[in-house]
Amino acid sequence: VRAANKVITGSLEGPASNFVEIQTSQDVPLAPVSLSIAAVDDTSLHVTWLPPLAPNGIIMFYEVFIAESVKSVFYSAIQNISTDATEIVIKGLTAYTTYTVI
C-alpha cells in the first residue's frame, strides 16, 4: 500500500508499506482421478483411486457411492462409504449384478 498526495517529489507516491501474506480458505477439491474397480470375488469389489490433481486444501475423507444399476437412468444407492484411504474393498454385494461406483 502506498499513500499519495499533491506534493510532487518526482513521484506522486510515498514509500510502500511492509507486505503481508495471507492464504485464502479452502475450496471444493477437484474429483479424484484414475478410478479403478476390480472384482475380488463374486460378492466383493476392490475400488482404488488417486487424490485430485488440485485438492484445494487438505483432503479429510473420500465418499464412495455404490449403486445397483437398473434398466432406467436412475440408480438406487445401496452404500455410501467414507474413508481417508485411496482404496476400499466393498463386500456383501449380490453375485452376477451390475453396479455403478461413483
Side-chain angles (χ1 to χ4, degrees):
V1 176
R2 292 182 187 216
N5 61 21
K6 292 188 179 212
V7 175
I8 300 175
T9 60
S11 172
L12 296 179
E13 302 168 343
S17 64
N18 294 333
F19 69 89
V20 176
E21 289 184 350
I22 188 167
Q23 184 173 0
T24 58
S25 299
Q26 298 186 90
D27 195 6
V28 176
L30 293 181
V33 295
S34 301
L35 177 64
S36 176
I37 305 168
V40 175
D41 56 36
D42 59 344
T43 60
S44 301
L45 297 173
H46 183 226
V47 182
T48 62
W49 60 91
L50 295 175
L53 297 177
N56 295 326
I58 299 169
I59 301 294
M60 299 180 68
F61 61 92
Y62 296 94
E63 288 186 314
V64 180
F65 298 91
I66 183 164
E68 186 174 333
S69 299
V70 293
K71 292 180 181 179
S72 69
V73 294
F74 298 102
Y75 297 99
S76 174
I78 58 170
Q79 291 187 39
N80 175 4
I81 305 157
S82 293
T83 179
D84 59 355
T86 56
E87 67 177 329
I88 191 165
V89 174
I90 302 171
K91 299 179 180 183
L93 303 174
T94 303
Y96 200 68
T97 302
T98 302
Y99 289 93
T100 299
V101 177
I102 303 171

